[in-house]
Amino acid sequence: MLNIITYTLGPVLTNSYLIADNESKDAVVIDPADEGHLIVADAEKKGFRINAVWLTHAHFDHMGGVGELITELGYDLPVALHSDDMPLWRAQGGAPFFGMQINPGPMPSIALNEGEILSVGSYQFEIRHAPGHTPGHVIFYCPSEAVLFCGDVIFQFSIGRTDLPGGDYNTLIQSIQLKILTLPDNTRLLPGHGPETSVGVERVNNPFIN
């Protein structure tokens, strides 16, 4: 069984995810937004070993907890990010623009690319490049569990911002059409903000794509 634990953290209530294979106890953190110690404490309580951090994109509210998480773990972790978002990562994810400073943690060492496969224990995740919110935004799709971690591409009845540097509305809509709406209707969408939804629900009800 794939265990998915959601934490809503940080100044803009970002959804961070701890995902783990209950059999092997291997785990990964997607978008640790803040308060990395909370995620580490929960993982340790459940007997999970965190092996990597996967970033959907490099905005500060999705990576602000990386540094603390790794410090709390006491061992180094690879951080995965698409190369097109490295300039944003180097700029602290835009945090200074909002009058904030963050500790981005170690430089990402895994470059995420379209079509590659990542694993958490026995579960495989397909990387889909879905730009528009940021140039290097990716989403993580697990076909066997019918679940997609979609970051800030699509939300319940809404879509990601495109007014920040690197955003583009037409590109985002194309990403949604090609990388999300091509999935089965029963695919769970676990977004970067707000409640869970599904491909089928958004296909019918999302005003931005209808």
Side-chain angles (χ1 to χ4, degrees):
M1 176 182 173
L2 181 67
N3 199 322
I4 301 172
I5 304 166
T6 306
Y7 310 86
T8 302
L9 303 170
V12 292
L13 302 178
T14 303
N15 292 330
S16 302
Y17 298 98
L18 173 65
I19 59 175
D21 181 333
N22 275 341
E23 296 300 320
S24 69
K25 303 300 183 182
D26 292 325
V28 164
V29 179
I30 298 176
D31 291 354
D34 201 356
E35 299 182 282
H37 66 280
L38 296 179
I39 301 173
V40 170
D42 207 18
E44 290 177 347
K45 180 180 178 181
K46 293 175 169 60
F48 299 147
R49 178 174 175 83
I50 299 173
N51 296 318
V53 171
W54 299 348
L55 299 177
T56 59
H57 63 296
H59 277 149
F60 74 91
D61 60 312
H62 289 256
M63 64 179 195
V66 173
E68 182 183 347
L69 183 142
I70 292 176
T71 298
E72 288 290 318
L73 283 173
Y75 56 86
D76 291 335
L77 283 183
V79 177
L81 178 71
H82 194 282
S83 61
D84 288 351
D85 263 21
M86 279 303 298
L88 182 58
W89 184 90
R90 293 189 182 97
Q92 291 188 44
F97 181 78
F98 294 94
M100 293 181 280
Q101 299 288 323
I102 66 163
N103 173 12
M107 180 175 290
S109 57
I110 299 174
L112 299 173
N113 295 297
E114 170 76 21
E116 290 183 346
I117 302 296
L118 298 175
S119 295
V120 180
S122 63
Y123 297 91
Q124 294 190 324
F125 292 78
E126 175 193 343
I127 300 165
R128 295 184 164 211
H129 183 209
H133 179 64
T134 68
H137 199 300
V138 300
I139 54 183
F140 304 106
Y141 175 49
C142 183
S144 68
E145 298 299 296
V147 63
L148 177 73
F149 296 89
C150 52
D152 286 3
V153 174
I154 191 169
F155 307 120
Q156 185 185 63
F157 312 146
S158 188
I159 61 173
R161 292 179 64 169
T162 57
D163 59 329
L164 298 172
D168 183 84
Y169 180 83
N170 291 332
T171 300
L172 182 66
I173 295 299
Q174 183 178 54
S175 290
I176 292 169
Q177 295 286 354
L178 296 179
K179 304 299 174 67
I180 294 178
L181 296 185
T182 52
L183 297 174
D185 281 352
N186 69 335
T187 304
R188 298 168 62 194
L189 299 179
L190 300 185
H193 304 273
E196 176 180 333
T197 183
S198 72
V199 170
V201 167
E202 297 310 309
R203 193 192 307 281
V204 172
N205 298 293
N206 194 310
F208 294 91
I209 55 178
N210 290 297

